[in-house]
Amino acid sequence: MEFRHEWKHEISKADLLILRSRLGTVLTPDRHAVDGKYRIRSLYFDSIRDKALWEKINGVNRREKFRIRCYNNDPATTRLEKKYKEAGLGSKTTAPLTFDEVESLLAGNTDWMAAHPSPLVRELAHKMTTQGLRPKTLVDYTREPYVFAPGNVRVTLDYAIRTGLSSTDFTDPNAVTLPVPEDPVILEVKWDDFLPDLVRDLIQLEGRHTSAYSKYAAARMYD
């Protein structure tokens, strides 16, 4: 399991404009972005007692969460992800899924998962049985991604974050969503062994500090 450093900052829309201008002059837009951005949809899983949510709120040192994600409503980009956090570092494991597999899961048919070639899919099946994990809510947002080769740095600007409330209809592009409270903009910075000073200087904003913002937690604020 490979871990990466992660910073998150909740910033203003004015900060977004400043950073967009700075980053665009030095860093390279992610090759998957269209006109510098893409739309992300995630479907988060949690237990009946909201284990993942409460571990995040309480700042538990070791925690994990599962989600299904796709980009720009393109079925070919659909994948299952497990995010794992420990001591401020993060790792991610992924496995491709088809829309048919997602629709089968959402319909309550999970028998196929136990024999799936991906260990991650089999792990989710096991934890759906033993921990009661179930789809909880959709989260949609727009991302502007930038990369910088030294340090394997990835900087993203996320905004227009919306929650599906109790909706889990991942495959419906017209699923009803609402803006999360306060309509925030989130700056995320991820890197491997070192964060180059050039990038560190680019992302400096007066009065902004690392936060523990969670899109999933924000999406559950209406519950």
Side-chain angles (χ1 to χ4, degrees):
M1 184 180 297
E2 296 184 1
F3 284 89
R4 281 165 58 81
H5 298 269
E6 297 183 3
W7 278 354
K8 286 187 182 182
H9 303 263
E10 187 171 348
I11 63 176
S12 69
K13 289 181 172 59
D15 294 333
L16 169 65
L17 298 178
I18 292 170
L19 287 175
R20 181 184 286 155
S21 176
R22 288 181 187 173
L23 296 171
T25 61
V26 180
L27 275 62
T28 303
D30 185 292
R31 61 187 178 88
H32 298 295
V34 179
D35 295 327
K37 59 188 177 183
Y38 45 69
R39 192 70 180 163
I40 295 176
R41 165 163 287 183
S42 297
L43 173 63
Y44 285 88
F45 289 72
D46 211 336
S47 68
I48 294 174
R49 296 185 178 180
D50 293 328
K51 179 176 181 287
L53 176 62
W54 285 109
E55 287 184 346
K56 175 63 179 179
I57 291 172
N58 293 326
V60 173
N61 184 50
R62 296 181 181 179
R63 60 185 187 270
E64 67 180 24
K65 62 175 176 278
F66 287 83
R67 67 191 179 203
I68 296 173
R69 172 168 287 188
C70 74
Y71 297 84
N72 293 326
N73 293 317
D74 180 359
T77 67
T78 306
R79 63 197 191 199
L80 172 65
E81 299 183 343
K82 182 177 78 168
K83 289 277 290 182
Y84 182 79
K85 294 293 290 280
E86 181 174 352
L89 300 176
S91 70
K92 182 169 67 174
T93 307
T94 69
L97 290 177
T98 67
F99 256 33
D100 286 344
E101 288 173 332
V102 175
E103 288 182 331
S104 182
L105 188 159
L106 294 178
N109 176 14
T110 58
D111 293 343
W112 57 273
M113 298 174 69
H116 198 276
S118 166
L120 184 61
V121 175
R122 298 198 302 270
E123 180 183 352
L124 176 60
H126 175 70
K127 290 180 177 177
M128 290 179 74
T129 299
T130 60
Q131 298 182 11
L133 292 187
R134 293 292 182 272
K136 281 287 185 174
T137 189
L138 300 174
V139 178
D140 291 344
Y141 59 95
T142 298
R143 166 165 286 179
E144 294 184 21
Y146 300 85
V147 296
F148 191 66
N152 190 24
V153 178
R154 183 174 179 84
V155 180
T156 56
L157 301 168
D158 297 340
Y159 52 90
I161 305 169
R162 301 178 67 87
T163 172
L165 301 175
S166 60
S167 172
T168 60
D169 198 352
F170 181 84
T171 59
D172 180 4
N174 299 313
V176 176
T177 59
L178 296 174
V180 300
E182 300 181 13
D183 192 21
V185 179
I186 306 300
L187 163 67
E188 293 190 15
V189 187
K190 299 179 181 179
W191 70 96
D192 287 345
D193 295 328
F194 70 98
L195 180 63
D197 289 340
L198 174 61
V199 178
R200 192 184 299 269
D201 291 341
L202 284 173
I203 63 174
Q204 288 301 314
L205 294 166
E206 186 176 352
R208 304 296 181 226
H209 305 285
T210 302
S211 68
Y213 188 88
S214 164
K215 298 181 186 74
Y216 171 57
R220 297 291 307 279
M221 289 296 288
Y222 292 117
D223 285 4

